[in-house]
Each structure stands twice: as structure tokens, then as C-alpha cells.
Amino acid sequence: MPTITHLSVRDIRFPTSHTLDGSDAINRAPDYSATYVVLTTDAGDGIEGHGLTFTTGRGNELCVAAVQSLAPFVLDRRLTDIRADPGAFWMDLVSDGQLRWVGPEKGVIHLATAAIVNAVWDLLAKRAGLPLWKFLVELQPEEIVRAIPFRHISDALSPAEALEILRRGQDGRAAREAELRATGYPAYTTSSGWLGYPDGKLRQLARAGVAAGWTHFKLKVGANLDDDVRRAQILREEIGEDLALMVDANQAWDVDEAIRAMDALAPFRPVWIEEPTSPDDILGHARIAKALEPYGIGVATGEHCHNRVMFKQLFQARAIGYCQIDSCRLGGVNEVLAVLLLAAKFGVPVCPHAGGVGLCEYVQHLSMFDFVAVSGSVDGRIIEYVDHLHEHFVDPVRVRGGRYLVPEAPGYSITMKPESLARFAFPDGPAWTEASEGHGVPTAADVAGVGGVS
Amino acid sequence: MPTITHLSVRDIRFPTSHTLDGSDAINRAPDYSATYVVLTTDAGDGIEGHGLTFTTGRGNELCVAAVQSLAPFVLDRRLTDIRADPGAFWMDLVSDGQLRWVGPEKGVIHLATAAIVNAVWDLLAKRAGLPLWKFLVELQPEEIVRAIPFRHISDALSPAEALEILRRGQDGRAAREAELRATGYPAYTTSSGWLGYPDGKLRQLARAGVAAGWTHFKLKVGANLDDDVRRAQILREEIGEDLALMVDANQAWDVDEAIRAMDALAPFRPVWIEEPTSPDDILGHARIAKALEPYGIGVATGEHCHNRVMFKQLFQARAIGYCQIDSCRLGGVNEVLAVLLLAAKFGVPVCPHAGGVGLCEYVQHLSMFDFVAVSGSVDGRIIEYVDHLHEHFVDPVRVRGGRYLVPEAPGYSITMKPESLARFAFPDGPAWTEASEGHGVPTAADVAGVGGVS
């Protein structure tokens, strides 16, 4: 009966803003970062649970602090108790009568919740000797239902409905698992289309992407419509008429502005417009979706959709054609399961948000579980792929010919190499102390004032 | 041209959980707390800007840390620049390309934004020698419009529409101001109905409230429906048939459960049901509102409505009959102005959330500005009042016969006494060091585990 006896949390940051990798209309110079959690037990077997939440630099310190504030709710728990009622464990974590005021279930505190919850699932899967997707596939439908927080979504999905979907998902499971192992899971690339890249680099990366077997390409838009049109033209020229193109505005537009901009981008036949406006604007997304229906352009959102209640409404309002769950914006695996089941009920394909640091490693497990045990389909489904920072992981994703290969190592694939954790520790790791002597790491003081704080 | 040269931030907590003051279905044992900000300038006149964000105890440390993370965006600003374009100042504060990831505009980072923004407005009003409500009344409609962040709400309210509403609000302004000074602004009391109070205390406090001239009483519900019915019965008995009763579930119910519970509470004729379900559930609130229409019971929410985009949708969906703005859940005065204008456009009365610590002091200014210069009406409008912790403020609210008297001191009335700041500093102030030797202050370790964190 191992008990969780220790939690450590680290502030890990990669100076990605130097190269404008990851730049878009809103996130102009992100330093991809992780609030990195390790859980240890008294089992004496050396098996640890690792989990992280992804951020873009400044603000990571707040998620680290929030993990510390939440630590008492995971420490001293027996793994058998968590296994027996994983939903109750999750609800405890988000229900403290004082801490929930600074959420509830959103922002800093919920990002921190995800790091802890994902570390717990990593620990459970590692102890079972299974990759997370397979660990979930092996759980009974009743066990999955027990892991799901139904609070505030029961008007759209009852436990009985979830159970029925999961029981249906048992049919043909073995065949789908075999298919997955044989062919992998479809992916798309965002690596060519960052907003900060000059036209020549966009063209060259798109060409390389086609050569590497990619079939779906995403372009960042939203800063300037003339630029967006020119860049969409370049991308369409390079990928030809048969491959797919998606656009992503990262919340840059107001509702009417989004509709006007997409009128201008429609000729390039994007499959979807991602994050056209505020992530909180369910009714706004619904209006945009209705306006773009004649073009056959779907609305996609999710990387900033902060909990299951928001996704519930996006489904109820028919506001999205693609559900882009984020593995650590939602409160970790338990809440992701809730959204996978909601998506299945409403018939909306799940296409997870990835990139950042560790998100590709995480979400491959979620999509594969969805395919094998929930939706049973890859139609209209595709996982984002971004080609950087994978070298820091012990079990990095493997992508071949535009498809994710099945992860085989036990756990959630999120364990980072000790040397990476040491090198990119913020602010004292060598990657930061050396950089700040060199080309000047941007700090809050660089972007704004330098007066005194106490 | 004074410049903001220093920001200090303190963690202030009051051990209110000892008495169950403030207890409700979700917030069972809050320690009312404040992330307390002081801005100083180089003017040499000793005038400081004070602002706080309210929390319920644990988690306050996160808001303190977030203020520190945001400090560079307010330091070294000249007050003339803020005055010239207060909307641009506000947008800068919420738009950092890295920090916004951990929001955006929600949770810890937005609560921290409010403390800073409110401190800036307190500073501006103090320098003008006016109480904040009067400072706002004296601004030209064009200046108010410049302070409002229209981003992501322009589909519901354009700057031109806001200007028109404010220009209409100029008519009869002097008469309304005179009326306000003569009679004050209507209030209701929550002090009698906390969930943790036994029936006898509820009865006795209700009786005392009637004797003191209160006309509106709020009851906490949502933990157990039988208890709710019994307590509503007691309150109705004590206040009679002519006075008004409201109920507040603090998010305890799912959507269908809320409708069923209100069927049972309808005989006691509540004016509104407050926070029936998740604060994020716009469509859920709309369904509940529709179901309760035949009873004449309105839906109220707002203390957890995290930004103007959420309020916009609550209005668009006709989900609320009462708009309960929170002075520090929204990102301070600028965003409150946006919601006051949205509410005026949609014809929904604003009834601010108060109580906590400092919220009564804050919101009186907002309602009074709304009456004099925006909605021009007190019909259906009422400010919450809770009778504790006012003694810690330099200019506490004054309530007589169930009405808020007009605040006259310059600023936003949120400056705390130095001795209170010293005594309730957490965790090292005497209120905490003495208490923890005495009757045992609840810490995170008390509510959960005690394992190791690093």
C-alpha cells in the first residue's frame, strides 16, 4: 500500500524567445516553460510520478507556488485510495474551501492542479508497467467513470451515459489497438508557420514538410490581415491543392473581426480557424461557426479552455467543430476524460493542442485512448506536432511520415532528463546564467519598468 | 508629472473561520484575506494609492506573488500617461505575452491585476481630492470610454454606444447626486443568514435586522435542501410578508438540481437565486433563469464572474436578472466600467457583491457612479452589506437604516489602518502567532496531509 510521501516542484524554462520558435499573434516571444512536479512514495522501488504544466515563461513561478499550496492535498495519500476513487481524489484537489476562491478551476491554480494530477497518473501507469494510454484502455468502463468529475456537467453527460459510451467503446477494441500499433495516429505540423518566421523560412519549411510526408500544415495568423493572406498564399503554393491547411489566430480578433478576416482567408480553404477570439467567448465562437459554415471552415479551440464546464457549453452551443483539449490547461487526466466523453456524446472530434514543452508527449496518450476505447475513430482527428524540445525527454515522441508512433514505455512520457532539469532550472541553471551574460534574456524588467518592489 | 516609483504588497489575513462568519455551502470556513498593494510616487506629497484583492485565506500567497510578477508593468509609469489613456494602461497590464498564458484575464493573475488597478484609481482620486465615485462622475464621457477595455466585447458594446449611454447619463446628474447625498443608496444584509449559524442565531439576527431598518435579507442555501427550506421558513417568519428575501447557493448545485431546489424554495418568494451553479456556466444560468421565470425569481451571479467577456455572454444569453459585479474579481475599475456599460445597454440592474474584507468599501463607489452617471436608476438595485471587518479601514462604510451613506473622503475608501496591517500580517503578525498558540489556526496541513514538500 504505497503512500505518496514527498512532492518536489521545479521552475524549468527554455529560452525559446531567442529564435521566435512558438511566436504567434498573442504569444510574441514565449520562453517555453514547465512547472515540473515529482512525486515519490514509501514503496522503496524507486518509481516516481512525474508531471508538468506548460507555461510560456513569466508566470511559471506562480504555478510553482500554486503546486506548493496544493501539495498538502496529495501528500500522505495511499495509492490504493486514489485507485479506488480517483474522482473523489480529484474533487478534493479542486474543492478546498479557501483555495478555490482564487480559481475556481481556472488559471494558475488549475494549471498547478494538472501538474499534480498528471504526476499521479504517471505514477499509477508506471507502477502498472504500462504506457498511460494502455493503462487507461485496460481500466474497466466503471473505473473510468469513477475517475470523471461530473460536477457541473451532469446536465450534459450523466455517469450512466458515460458508461454506455465506454461500454460501446469495448467493441472492436483489440482491432483498433492493432491498427494503432501498425500505422500510428495522424498528426499535423505547426513547425513551419510561426508568425515570427520570414516568408522565405515559411516557404522552405513547408517544402521540407511536404517532403517529410506531412499532410496537414498550420499557419499562425491574426496580427495583420495582409500578411495573413500573403502567408496563406505561400503555404498553399508549397503544399498544393490536395494537402490540408489550418489557420490559428490565437485569440487576436473580436467576433465580427474574426468573421471578416476569415472571409479574406476562405479562398485558401482552411480546414479550421483556431482560437478566432477570446477563449471565454462561447457565444462568440458559436456566431463565428455559423458564419463560416457556408465555407466549410470549422471552428477549433481549447488550449485556453480552462475546464469541462466551458467545453460542455462549447458543445451545447454547437460552437466548435474540433475540440482541442490541452493536457494541462484542463485539470489533468481526470478532467480530460470528462471532456473526451462529452466530445463523444456530442460527436465532436478531439484534436489535442500540443507543442510547447511536453505537450506532444502527453497528448499522444489521450488521443490513442480516445481512438481505442471512446470514439473508436480517427476521422477528422489529428494531433498537433511541433518539432522542438523533445530531446529533453527520457521517452520522447516518435513521429514518422506525419504520424505519431505508439509510445511503449511505462507512464505518461513526461519524465525529463536530469541534465535538462539541471541546465534549464530558472533562474539559476546554466542555460540562464550563461545566457544573461550573453545575448540578454528578456525579463519582466526588460519588457516594462524597473522601479522598486517590496 | 509624478511617476509611480514603488509598489509594496502584503499578505493580510483575518481568522474569520473561528466564528463561521462568512460560511456558505462552498466556502465553509473562510479566513477573509487581502492581497494589499500600496503604490508610492516621486511627488513628495505623501499621497499613496491603496488597493486590495479579496481572497478567503489559502491562495492569498499566490495573489501576492502575482502582484510581484505584474509590478514591472505599473512601475515607472507617469500618472499623466495613465490619465491620458487609462485603457491602454489596463491592456498593457493584462497583455504580457508570457504572463497572459497563466490567465488570461482570470484566476490568480486577474485578482492581482485588480489590486494594482484599484490602487492606481485610488491614487488618481486622492490626488484629485475626490471620493472615487465623484472622481468618475466628474470625468467626461469620452474619458470614461478611453478607460474601458473594449477588446472581445465590441460585438455587444461599441465605444460609440458606450459614449451615447454616458452622454444620456449626463441629464439630471445633479439632481441624482443631491438625492444620493440626501438618502443614500439602498442595501441588503447577508449578516444574518450564514450557513454555519444555528437556527436560533439566524432567527435572532433576522429579528435584530428588521428592528434596525433592513428591508432585504439574504440566506445561504445549497448544502442540504431540508435545512434550506426550514431556514427560509424561519427567515420569512421573522421578516414577515412585506420585506424581501434572497437566497444564495454559492455554486453548490448542478443545473437540474438547481431548478429542483428552487421549486422547493419558491414558496418563500425569494427575489433572486444567487450563484445557483458553476460561475462558468452561462448556458446553465440561462436554463435556470428560464425555468424560474414563472415564479418571478431572478437569477443573480457575478462574484466569480471572472471578466467582461463572461458578463457579456450572461447578458447576451439573458441568463441573469441581476448583475453582481465584484470589484476585484473583475480586473479593477477599468473592467468594472465595461460591465456597468454593458449592463446599462442590456437593461440589467447592477447589484454588487460585497462583504469579505473591503468589498463594501469598494462597491459603494461603483453603484453610486452607476446611479449618477450611467443607469440613472436605483430600481431593482441594491448593494450587499455585511457587518464585519469595517473597523480596520480608515474610512469605513457608513450604513444607516438599510442604506449606504455617501463616502466623502478622497479615494476608493480601501486604505487600511496601519495597526490592522501589522496585526493581521500573515503568517507573522500577532493575530496569527498568538492564535496558533491558542485555538489552532487551520492551515493547509490541518485540512489535508503533512508530508514533505521541496
Side-chain angles (χ1 to χ4, degrees):
Chain A
M1 307 259 183
T3 295
I4 298 171
T5 51
H6 193 272
L7 176 153
S8 78
V9 56
R10 286 175 239 218
D11 189 333
I12 306 296
R13 306 194 193 189
F14 299 91
T16 48
S17 59
H18 296 165
T19 55
L20 298 184
D21 295 342
S23 58
D24 63 48
I26 298 293
N27 309 293
R28 286 173 189 274
D31 288 318
Y32 282 174
S33 301
T35 295
Y36 193 87
V37 170
V38 179
L39 300 176
T40 48
T41 74
D42 57 7
D45 56 7
I47 299 178
E48 300 172 331
H50 290 231
L52 63 79
T53 207
F54 166 64
T55 76
T56 57
R58 287 182 292 280
N60 202 47
E61 70 282 6
L62 302 177
C63 295
V64 169
V67 166
Q68 288 161 339
S69 300
L70 285 167
F73 300 91
V74 67
L75 288 170
D76 296 337
R77 295 229 181 214
R78 293 189 312 169
L79 296 185
T80 45
D81 295 337
I82 294 176
R83 278 297 300 269
D85 197 344
F89 158 67
W90 193 89
M91 284 306 300
D92 275 0
L93 212 51
V94 302
S95 300
D96 176 55
Q98 296 192 353
L99 277 173
R100 82 182 296 282
W101 188 267
V102 302
E105 301 178 32
K106 59 177 66 73
V108 167
I109 196 89
H110 213 47
L111 289 160
T113 298
I116 293 172
V117 168
N118 287 343
V120 166
W121 285 91
D122 180 67
L123 179 59
L124 295 176
K126 280 176 178 163
R127 290 185 60 83
L130 296 172
L132 181 79
W133 68 271
K134 178 68 171 163
F135 178 72
L136 292 173
V137 163
E138 293 300 315
L139 291 180
Q140 293 302 309
E142 292 78 5
E143 292 179 286
I144 297 286
V145 168
R146 271 204 297 279
I148 293 176
F150 286 95
R151 179 153 217 209
H152 290 155
I153 60 168
S154 66
D155 56 317
L157 180 77
S158 68
E161 288 173 307
L163 194 60
E164 196 193 314
I165 293 167
L166 289 161
R167 283 191 179 143
R168 261 200 323 263
Q170 302 273 299
D171 294 345
R173 224 177 57 170
R176 286 194 295 278
E177 193 174 321
E179 184 188 331
L180 197 62
R181 290 183 189 280
T183 66
Y185 197 103
Y188 73 86
T189 177
T190 306
S191 291
S192 49
W194 297 113
L195 199 73
Y197 287 179
D199 289 359
K201 186 166 182 179
L202 164 64
R203 192 180 285 282
Q204 171 228 317
L205 288 171
R207 198 169 295 182
V210 174
W214 291 99
T215 57
H216 291 67
F217 297 76
K218 194 163 81 183
L219 184 72
K220 296 288 183 175
V221 297
N224 175 293
L225 189 55
D226 291 338
D227 290 345
D228 296 343
V229 168
R230 190 186 69 252
R231 286 158 48 82
Q233 173 81 43
I234 291 171
L235 185 54
R236 184 48 86 193
E237 281 169 18
E238 288 302 323
I239 69 175
E241 290 304 310
D242 295 338
L243 301 186
L245 175 162
M246 294 91 89
V247 293
D248 181 357
N250 289 90
Q251 315 166 25
W253 297 318
D254 277 24
V255 175
D256 297 298
E257 195 181 3
I259 294 169
R260 282 196 304 272
M262 290 310 297
D263 284 338
L265 290 167
F268 306 103
R269 298 187 295 107
V271 174
W272 75 48
I273 168 62
E274 179 172 335
E275 289 207 301
T277 190
S278 164
D280 294 339
D281 198 348
I282 293 143
L283 301 179
H285 281 84
R287 257 195 69 211
I288 296 165
K290 208 172 162 67
L292 301 185
E293 227 173 52
Y295 294 126
I297 303 171
V299 168
T301 197
E303 74 188 61
H304 272 91
C305 183
H306 57 261
N307 62 34
R308 67 201 177 284
V309 178
M310 298 301 284
F311 269 119
K312 174 186 78 166
Q313 295 174 84
L314 287 167
F315 296 136
Q316 289 172 321
R318 307 267 156 210
I320 54 172
Y322 301 91
C323 167
Q324 300 182 302
I325 49 167
D326 184 291
S327 49
C328 37
R329 177 73 60 182
L330 291 170
V333 173
N334 301 65
E335 195 168 33
V336 165
L337 293 173
V339 177
L340 292 181
L341 271 293
L342 279 166
K345 174 171 171 189
F346 284 87
V348 175
V350 173
C351 300
H353 170 239
V357 54
L359 300 185
C360 299
E361 278 68 20
Y362 266 150
V363 301
Q364 58 181 341
H365 291 272
L366 306 174
S367 281
M368 290 180 190
F369 168 69
D370 177 66
F371 172 56
V372 175
V374 184
S375 71
S377 169
V378 291
D379 288 353
R381 291 165 174 85
I382 197 157
I383 306 175
E384 182 165 19
Y385 178 70
V386 183
D387 184 24
H388 54 223
L389 304 180
H390 301 293
E391 65 275 21
H392 302 294
F393 291 86
V394 172
D395 305 306
V397 289
R398 297 170 303 150
V399 169
R400 302 278 182 282
R403 300 177 81 90
Y404 276 84
L405 304 191
V406 170
E408 301 286 4
Y412 206 173
S413 304
I414 207 69
T415 303
M416 273 196 204
K417 296 176 180 167
E419 56 270 30
S420 295
L421 292 173
R423 177 153 183 77
F424 295 95
F426 184 88
D428 298 326
W432 290 98
T433 52
E434 292 163 15
S436 56
E437 292 155 15
H439 38 281
V441 173
T443 66
D446 292 321
V447 295
V450 289
V453 187
S454 65
Chain B
M1 307 257 183
T3 296
I4 298 171
T5 50
H6 193 273
L7 177 153
S8 77
V9 57
R10 286 173 239 218
D11 189 334
I12 305 297
R13 306 194 194 188
F14 299 90
T16 48
S17 58
H18 297 164
T19 54
L20 297 184
D21 295 342
S23 59
D24 62 50
I26 298 293
N27 309 293
R28 286 173 189 274
D31 288 319
Y32 281 173
S33 303
T35 296
Y36 193 88
V37 170
V38 179
L39 300 176
T40 48
T41 75
D42 58 7
D45 55 8
I47 298 178
E48 300 172 331
H50 289 231
L52 64 78
T53 207
F54 166 64
T55 77
T56 57
R58 287 183 291 281
N60 202 47
E61 70 282 6
L62 303 177
C63 295
V64 169
V67 166
Q68 288 163 338
S69 301
L70 285 167
F73 300 92
V74 67
L75 288 170
D76 296 339
R77 295 229 182 215
R78 292 189 312 167
L79 295 185
T80 46
D81 295 338
I82 295 176
R83 279 297 300 268
D85 197 343
F89 158 66
W90 193 90
M91 284 306 301
D92 276 0
L93 212 51
V94 303
S95 300
D96 176 54
Q98 296 192 352
L99 277 173
R100 83 183 295 284
W101 187 269
V102 303
E105 300 177 33
K106 58 177 66 72
V108 168
I109 196 90
H110 213 47
L111 289 160
T113 298
I116 294 173
V117 169
N118 288 343
V120 166
W121 285 91
D122 179 66
L123 179 59
L124 296 177
K126 279 177 179 163
R127 290 185 60 82
L130 296 171
L132 182 79
W133 69 272
K134 179 66 173 163
F135 178 72
L136 293 173
V137 163
E138 293 300 315
L139 291 180
Q140 292 302 307
E142 292 77 6
E143 291 180 284
I144 297 286
V145 168
R146 272 204 298 279
I148 292 176
F150 287 94
R151 180 153 215 209
H152 291 154
I153 60 168
S154 66
D155 56 318
L157 180 77
S158 68
E161 288 173 306
L163 194 59
E164 197 193 314
I165 293 167
L166 288 161
R167 285 192 178 142
R168 262 201 321 264
Q170 301 273 299
D171 294 345
R173 225 177 56 171
R176 285 193 297 276
E177 193 176 319
E179 184 188 332
L180 197 60
R181 289 183 189 280
T183 65
Y185 196 102
Y188 72 88
T189 177
T190 306
S191 291
S192 49
W194 297 114
L195 200 73
Y197 287 178
D199 289 359
K201 186 166 181 179
L202 164 63
R203 193 179 285 281
Q204 171 228 317
L205 288 172
R207 199 169 294 181
V210 174
W214 291 99
T215 57
H216 291 67
F217 297 76
K218 195 162 81 184
L219 185 72
K220 296 288 182 175
V221 298
N224 175 292
L225 189 53
D226 291 338
D227 290 344
D228 297 343
V229 168
R230 190 186 68 253
R231 287 159 47 81
Q233 174 81 42
I234 291 171
L235 185 53
R236 183 50 84 194
E237 280 170 17
E238 288 302 323
I239 68 174
E241 290 304 310
D242 295 337
L243 301 186
L245 175 162
M246 295 91 90
V247 292
D248 181 357
N250 289 92
Q251 315 167 24
W253 297 317
D254 278 24
V255 175
D256 297 298
E257 194 182 5
I259 295 169
R260 282 196 305 272
M262 290 310 298
D263 284 338
L265 290 167
F268 305 103
R269 299 186 295 107
V271 174
W272 75 49
I273 168 62
E274 179 172 336
E275 288 207 303
T277 189
S278 163
D280 294 338
D281 199 349
I282 292 143
L283 301 179
H285 281 84
R287 256 195 69 212
I288 296 166
K290 209 172 164 66
L292 301 186
E293 227 173 52
Y295 294 126
I297 302 171
V299 168
T301 197
E303 74 189 60
H304 272 92
C305 184
H306 57 261
N307 62 35
R308 67 201 176 285
V309 178
M310 298 300 284
F311 269 118
K312 173 186 79 168
Q313 296 174 83
L314 288 168
F315 295 135
Q316 289 173 322
R318 307 268 156 208
I320 53 171
Y322 301 92
C323 167
Q324 299 181 305
I325 48 167
D326 185 291
S327 49
C328 38
R329 178 72 61 182
L330 291 170
V333 173
N334 301 66
E335 195 168 34
V336 166
L337 292 173
V339 177
L340 292 182
L341 270 294
L342 280 166
K345 175 171 172 189
F346 285 87
V348 175
V350 173
C351 301
H353 169 239
V357 54
L359 301 184
C360 299
E361 277 69 20
Y362 266 151
V363 301
Q364 57 181 341
H365 292 272
L366 305 174
S367 281
M368 290 180 191
F369 168 68
D370 177 65
F371 172 57
V372 176
V374 184
S375 71
S377 170
V378 292
D379 287 355
R381 292 165 175 86
I382 198 158
I383 306 176
E384 182 164 20
Y385 179 70
V386 184
D387 185 22
H388 55 223
L389 304 180
H390 301 293
E391 66 274 21
H392 302 294
F393 291 86
V394 172
D395 306 304
V397 289
R398 297 171 302 150
V399 168
R400 302 278 182 280
R403 300 178 80 91
Y404 276 83
L405 304 191
V406 169
E408 301 287 1
Y412 206 173
S413 304
I414 207 69
T415 303
M416 273 195 204
K417 294 176 181 167
E419 56 271 30
S420 296
L421 292 172
R423 176 152 184 79
F424 295 94
F426 184 88
D428 298 325
W432 291 98
T433 51
E434 292 163 15
S436 55
E437 291 155 16
H439 39 281
V441 174
T443 66
D446 290 322
V447 294
V450 290
V453 187
S454 64

